Amino acid sequence: MRKSPILAALALLCLAGTAYADTSSKKIAFSNNYAGNSWRQAMLKSYDIITKKAVADGIVAASDVFTTADQEVPTQAAQIQNLILQGYDAIVINAGSPDALNGAVKQACDAGIVVVSFDGIVTEPCAYRVVVDFKAMGKEQVAQMAKFQPKGGNLLEIRGLAGTSIDEAIHAGILEGVAANPQFKIVNSVTGNWDQTTAQKAVATVLPSLPEIVGIVDQGGDGYGAAQAFAAAGKPRPTIILGNRQDELAWWKEQKAKDGYQTWSSSIAPGVSSLAFWVAQQVLDGRTDIPHDLLVPYLAFTQEDFEAALPNIQEGGVATHEYTQADAIEAIKANIK
């Protein structure tokens, strides 16, 4: 029997990977556990830019954002359960814990809801994870530090939001980096919550009791605050690994102009939130070839290229990239083995 032109066209579209089902009636929710720093604000802005256009273009019916007020995991779990009851077709999650939300995530999956976690990922197998190799990023910090401080010395570590997969992975990578570069020793660790103000206060508190510090390893959103704490205390300026924030890179430029100051900067691009959205949309679109773990590269700047990028970063913001649907399809292809 001869195939109809319509069926043939549909078959070609499916083979091309461009369309499987209609998602114009689908609703996607975003469950976010924290919004209290410049990275998270940039993340939300990127998500808003991409998803508002997707709704306006009729690709999805809704993409609503819900941020918990208290950063507590039980609050986010309750939020996810509420989103299940509200009938969302997919939930994008930046999770406050890699495992404590798994019960709520499993409930969502059992209800037929697509769950895509990113940045702060969940370990429940039914969920998709858009991940950066944070452990490798943490290890690379120490490798870079060895270039600037080849004789080694004492390091101060600034950690992120306690209990998150990001904090644990970067910390583990830093420890591996120190093990591979035994000329360094971590002499103290403080919590900065990925926030300049919090980090500055935390560093200022421990500074009087610290031996001479040659470098600071951290998680992003804390480098400028650490620099301010050292300056206020009249302490020698250490090599501070930075996290792609505009104020950090502007400070780096000032220090470089003054005396050739050298460092390295890295972070996950806040716009990865938009990639998570498109992954959810593609799963709703009927794609069955998407791996549950999608690895994307982190964004890094060196002594040679950070100044060229600085004018393109919004004041008070973070270096980022918003992902289009085409970007997401390419990212998915790159992860299919």
Side-chain angles (χ1 to χ4, degrees):
M1 188 173 84
R2 187 166 177 244
K3 187 182 287 185
S4 75
I6 293 175
L7 289 175
L10 287 172
L12 284 172
L13 284 171
C14 289
L15 287 172
T18 55
Y20 295 84
D22 181 11
T23 61
S24 61
S25 64
K26 303 296 186 181
K27 298 192 305 175
I28 300 175
F30 178 14
S31 170
N32 175 44
N33 78 308
Y34 178 65
N37 62 30
S38 59
W39 193 95
R40 290 295 178 110
Q41 290 299 315
M43 173 199 75
L44 291 169
K45 183 175 181 181
S46 290
Y47 192 83
D48 187 61
I49 289 169
I50 292 299
T51 61
K52 276 189 174 177
K53 187 175 188 304
V55 173
D57 291 345
I59 297 174
V60 294
S63 184
D64 304 316
V65 177
F66 303 87
T67 298
T68 60
D70 59 9
Q71 303 174 31
E72 295 296 328
V73 171
T75 305
Q76 191 173 22
Q79 180 191 80
I80 293 168
Q81 290 166 337
N82 192 40
L83 296 176
I84 296 170
L85 296 174
Q86 290 182 48
Y88 283 95
D89 300 286
I91 302 173
V92 172
I93 299 177
N94 195 335
S97 167
D99 49 25
L101 292 173
N102 283 350
V105 169
K106 184 66 164 58
Q107 289 175 30
C109 292
D110 289 346
I113 298 169
V114 173
V115 177
V116 180
S117 63
F118 75 98
D119 189 40
I121 58 171
V122 296
T123 55
E124 166 54 47
C126 72
Y128 292 82
R129 284 163 289 279
V130 178
V131 297
V132 158
D133 193 340
F134 285 113
K135 188 175 182 181
M137 193 173 83
K139 187 175 182 179
E140 183 63 21
Q141 287 192 43
V142 186
Q144 292 292 328
M145 184 69 72
K147 297 178 182 178
F148 310 127
Q149 299 286 349
K151 294 181 180 179
N154 296 321
L155 301 179
L156 172 65
E157 180 186 16
I158 306 176
R159 298 191 60 168
L161 198 63
T164 59
S165 61
I166 312 147
D167 172 69
E168 293 170 1
I170 295 175
H171 172 65
I174 287 171
L175 294 183
E176 277 196 10
V178 170
N181 294 273
Q183 70 270 33
F184 292 111
K185 178 183 179 183
I186 295 175
V187 294
N188 207 327
S189 177
V190 297
T191 298
N193 284 357
W194 308 315
D195 174 66
Q196 305 287 14
T197 302
T198 305
Q200 182 174 347
K201 291 178 180 176
V203 172
T205 299
V206 300
L207 258 182
S209 62
L210 293 179
E212 182 182 352
I213 299 295
V214 300
I216 296 178
V217 287
D218 46 52
Q219 301 197 2
D222 36 36
Y224 184 70
Q228 296 307 298
F230 271 77
K235 297 280 189 178
R237 180 193 56 190
T239 298
I240 305 173
I241 300 297
L242 305 176
N244 296 359
R245 274 64 171 174
Q246 182 271 338
D247 53 7
E248 294 179 324
L249 300 184
W251 175 82
W252 184 4
K253 183 178 180 180
E254 291 172 359
Q255 304 306 303
K256 180 182 176 182
K258 184 168 66 176
D259 57 16
Y261 184 77
Q262 297 184 73
T263 188
W264 184 75
S265 182
S266 68
S267 179
I268 180 173
V272 72
S273 58
S274 59
L275 177 57
F277 165 81
W278 286 121
V279 170
Q281 186 270 333
Q282 288 290 291
V283 177
L284 291 174
D285 203 28
R287 290 196 64 158
T288 58
D289 60 343
I290 302 176
H292 275 252
D293 292 280
L294 284 87
L295 188 67
V296 295
Y298 58 81
L299 180 61
F301 293 109
T302 68
Q303 195 77 6
E304 290 71 37
D305 61 18
F306 82 96
E307 289 173 285
L310 184 54
N312 301 317
I313 306 172
Q314 182 180 354
E315 187 171 349
V318 189
T320 191
H321 170 73
E322 275 94 38
Y323 289 80
T324 64
Q325 186 184 53
D327 289 336
I329 291 170
E330 285 303 310
I332 291 167
K333 287 180 180 178
N335 278 271
I336 296 174
K337 297 178 180 179

